[in-house]
Amino acid sequence: MIRTVRHALLPLVGSLVSASANAATPPATTQAAIDDFAARCEALNGLSIENAADTPGNIVAATLVKDRKATPPEKIMFMKRGHSQGNVTPQLDTFPVHCRVEGYVTPAVKFNLLLPLTDTWNGRFLLAACDAWCGKVGEDIVMPGLYDGYATITNDGGHYGRAPFDGIWAYKNDQGRIDFAYRANHVSAQVGKFITKAFYGSAPKYSYITGFSKGGNAGLFAVQKYPEDFDGVFVKAPVVNYNPKNAAHFPWIALAVHPDGKTPLLKADKIPLLMKGANDACDAIDGLKDGVIDDPRKCKYDPVALLCKPGQSEAKNECLNQAQVDAVRKLYAKPVNARGDVYFDYPTDIGSEHDWARSILPIPGSNEVGVPFALNGAATGIRYFVTRDTPGPNYDWTQFDYVAEKAKIDDMSTIFDPDEIDLSAFYKRGGKLLIVHGWGDAMITANMTIDWFEKVRAHMGKDTVSKFAQLYLVPGANHGSGGSGPYVFDTQDALVKWVEEGVTPTEFLLTDGPADPTQRTRPMYPYPAYAKYKGKGDPNVASSFKRVTPKETR
């Protein structure tokens, strides 16, 4: 049985809004049904999965989870995971009743599969892919799917590590890198569907994958390498040029802020000043001064405007000193060598400053391990991750020469980068792909995704691509959750309708987070179309925006 999706369709030209108030009330489950569910869950401990995937695996424990209360941090993460997966999820007080199946697939892929109650299972399977550099089997990452009634699985990427950017596990570990890049999700899908069929007595009618950042790469890899695994794919903020991002851009921005590899020139308490400088220069370009830079490609800005003037205090965050101005200039610039030659095409976008805390700039007074992400990713990545013969713990990563090592980096890119442009196998079997990227993403610029998507359109033809793949760009949206503009959207229900009913999405409604006082709404349209303020009307209301579709030459 396929249950209908729980989010209501609203009349904004077929768009979807995120409103947990519209969620259907699940039917009451009798105690007898729960007892039967618990017994079948326990019976999974005897199920063999040795032949379920490309390599043998085993179920370690199958356990009923009932009446488990969520902690305050877990509640917040449930909601944030919903934001990054395009599947709006409330701050649940209690975990939904489910059967939790823990297991592994050889050589080292650990997974958790969460099976909802039989009368709440929607007949579908969902893989929620791990993000950053993985290393753990997350619990919050599967909650949006479980809450929606999916049999939902996740995995650790084929290794154990300290989140978010621990690369030590990759040291001379080629199989681990392959598992991390794409194989872990493939074999997890195989065992997940096998167990789901064994448990419910029928196979899932449709299968989906969702994720952001590295989890977004998982979706692209599925489309490119395993087109039979999933019917629908949701991707947020993928990193198509994955290995160059880690080997070139992480060190560039880390050394811009920490020239000696340790000591920051500026910290996150400068972010309000940085945001003001960028907005003063570029916010009005899109026709609306609202604190959101719609398209940073149209912005020309030099942070020298923030250089301290007589009477201003850098210590009070009223301005920047010269070293700090130079650091921010580097963040906004493409990486170059000593001769000024560009060796990586993607800088940090103007308009992403609100997303710099922890990702690029340290928090004053915080000793959080692994922060900023760019600094930790640069150090651990170069020592252990970005080439096959990584130098190990005693190497001074600040001396790494990307250009000199480019051949080795390109070699690893054949494993790490989901950059293939022929998606015809996925298209021919009827698969559907939704991609979302925010213009306020401090970790990965949307330009990278656009460039790849344009290559796909050029190779396959834009009309063909529009039949199975769409890209949406969100002004001001952060890497995961949050942003300077409305950033909440519900794409999962639309993906289901596209896959199962042939209803092609035409637009989505963006909203603010539930705690934001303004509660702005705004439409977003499939690339290359975008939303533009009409010049009149309430700028906080979606109806004050119109669709603009640029003319294309091909």
Side-chain angles (χ1 to χ4, degrees):
M1 178 183 70
I2 299 290
R3 291 175 53 237
T4 57
V5 292
R6 64 177 173 83
H7 298 113
L9 283 171
L10 296 194
L12 180 61
V13 197
S15 66
L16 298 170
V17 295
S18 50
S20 59
N22 292 321
T25 302
T29 303
T30 65
Q31 186 59 51
I34 292 177
D35 291 344
D36 176 71
F37 181 81
R40 289 190 294 114
C41 179
E42 173 65 26
L44 286 178
N45 285 294
L47 178 69
S48 171
I49 59 170
E50 291 180 62
N51 292 303
D54 291 346
T55 54
N58 199 15
I59 292 174
V60 174
T63 310
L64 177 70
V65 178
K66 182 174 178 291
D67 299 326
R68 177 182 171 183
K69 298 297 182 182
T71 65
E74 286 175 331
K75 295 178 186 180
I76 293 172
M77 285 306 301
F78 296 163
M79 178 185 67
K80 288 187 174 183
R81 288 298 187 184
H83 297 162
S84 63
Q85 295 178 14
N87 191 10
V88 179
T89 306
Q91 296 189 42
L92 300 171
D93 293 322
T94 305
F95 285 70
V97 178
H98 62 277
C99 177
R100 174 190 173 106
V101 185
E102 302 172 63
Y104 66 88
V105 180
T106 53
V109 178
K110 296 179 183 178
F111 67 84
N112 280 353
L113 171 65
L114 274 56
L115 299 166
L117 287 166
T118 305
D119 56 5
T120 61
W121 182 44
N122 63 19
R124 303 178 181 96
F125 172 81
L126 176 70
L127 191 153
C130 59
D131 44 54
W133 289 355
C134 299
K136 67 175 183 178
V137 184
E139 291 192 294
D140 51 63
I141 200 169
V142 290
M143 198 50 53
L146 179 65
Y147 175 69
D148 252 5
Y150 292 83
T152 309
I153 197 169
T154 192
N155 60 65
D156 64 353
H159 62 271
Y160 186 52
R162 182 171 190 160
F165 293 100
D166 171 8
I168 298 175
W169 60 269
Y171 185 62
K172 301 187 186 305
N173 182 6
D174 279 357
Q175 183 59 53
R177 299 178 198 209
I178 291 169
D179 287 346
F180 168 71
Y182 50 82
R183 182 181 171 276
N185 293 306
H186 172 58
V187 296
S188 293
Q190 291 177 314
V191 297
K193 293 176 191 179
F194 180 88
I195 298 169
T196 299
K197 180 180 179 180
F199 186 74
Y200 293 111
S202 60
K205 298 296 184 183
Y206 298 95
S207 296
Y208 297 85
I209 183 172
T210 186
F212 93 104
S213 193
K214 170 59 179 67
N217 282 22
L220 295 186
F221 267 128
V223 169
Q224 296 166 18
K225 289 185 175 295
Y226 305 106
E228 298 293 331
D229 278 358
F230 302 101
D231 304 293
V233 175
F234 173 76
V235 168
K236 184 174 190 284
V239 197
V240 176
N241 304 101
Y242 189 78
N243 207 39
K245 167 67 184 184
N246 292 320
H249 197 226
F250 267 171
W252 174 261
I253 58 179
L255 290 172
V257 177
H258 307 78
D260 63 354
K262 299 176 182 178
T263 310
L265 292 173
L266 68 164
K267 297 183 179 181
D269 54 354
K270 287 287 192 294
I271 288 178
L273 175 69
L274 296 169
M275 289 175 60
K276 183 179 185 306
N279 283 327
D280 286 349
C282 302
D283 184 11
I285 292 174
D286 53 42
L288 176 62
K289 195 167 179 59
D290 60 348
V292 183
I293 296 174
D294 280 18
D295 187 345
R297 294 174 298 182
K298 300 176 181 178
C299 177
K300 305 297 181 185
Y301 167 58
D302 188 341
V304 73
L306 301 178
L307 185 64
C308 289
K309 300 175 180 61
Q312 289 185 317
S313 170
E314 183 275 324
K316 295 180 180 179
N317 296 322
E318 296 172 349
C319 57
L320 302 180
N321 62 37
Q322 187 61 58
Q324 293 167 340
V325 168
D326 292 342
V328 177
R329 278 176 168 165
K330 285 184 178 180
L331 295 177
Y332 291 144
K334 297 179 181 180
V336 295
N337 61 19
R339 297 187 303 274
D341 302 323
V342 173
Y343 59 84
F344 183 72
D345 284 333
Y346 303 104
T348 304
D349 283 330
I350 298 169
S352 67
E353 298 80 13
H354 53 270
D355 199 24
W356 288 11
R358 300 177 75 240
S359 57
I360 296 176
L361 301 181
I363 305 294
S366 172
N367 294 316
E368 185 179 1
V369 175
V371 173
F373 303 148
L375 177 64
N376 191 54
T380 188
I382 289 172
R383 287 173 178 150
Y384 301 104
F385 193 84
V386 301
T387 62
R388 292 182 193 272
D389 60 345
T390 42
N394 298 317
Y395 180 73
D396 181 1
W397 68 271
T398 66
Q399 301 304 306
F400 183 75
D401 187 334
Y402 177 87
V403 176
E405 301 293 338
K406 189 174 184 304
K408 295 180 179 179
I409 293 160
D410 289 346
D411 174 50
M412 279 309 304
S413 289
T414 63
I415 293 177
F416 282 148
D417 295 7
D419 57 359
E420 295 179 24
I421 58 175
D422 185 355
L423 312 183
S424 55
F426 183 72
Y427 164 59
K428 289 176 181 177
R429 70 168 296 267
K432 299 295 186 284
L433 169 65
L434 285 178
I435 306 170
V436 175
H437 210 133
W439 276 123
D441 188 331
M443 296 294 285
I444 300 105
T445 174
N447 285 300
M448 186 186 293
T449 301
I450 293 170
D451 286 351
W452 171 79
F453 196 69
E454 283 288 9
K455 292 175 184 177
V456 175
R457 296 174 86 218
H459 178 75
M460 299 186 67
K462 63 175 185 273
D463 292 337
T464 297
V465 171
S466 68
K467 296 176 183 178
F468 77 98
Q470 293 182 343
L471 167 63
Y472 292 82
L473 301 171
V474 186
N478 289 3
H479 186 53
S481 171
S484 59
Y487 60 88
V488 180
F489 54 89
D490 184 353
T491 47
Q492 183 62 28
D493 287 347
L495 182 59
V496 167
K497 293 182 76 66
W498 198 10
V499 166
E500 300 176 19
E501 300 176 31
V503 180
T504 304
T506 58
E507 66 178 289
F508 292 97
L509 189 68
L510 297 165
T511 67
D512 278 326
D516 295 325
T518 308
Q519 286 302 299
R520 298 164 294 179
T521 59
R522 184 170 181 166
M524 67 173 179
Y525 301 105
Y527 175 87
Y530 61 93
K532 183 175 178 60
Y533 181 56
K534 294 177 180 178
K536 60 181 180 179
D538 186 347
N540 296 321
V541 178
S543 59
S544 299
F545 292 80
K546 62 182 179 181
R547 176 176 178 145
V548 176
T549 304
K551 291 183 179 180
E552 298 189 89
T553 57
R554 64 176 187 271

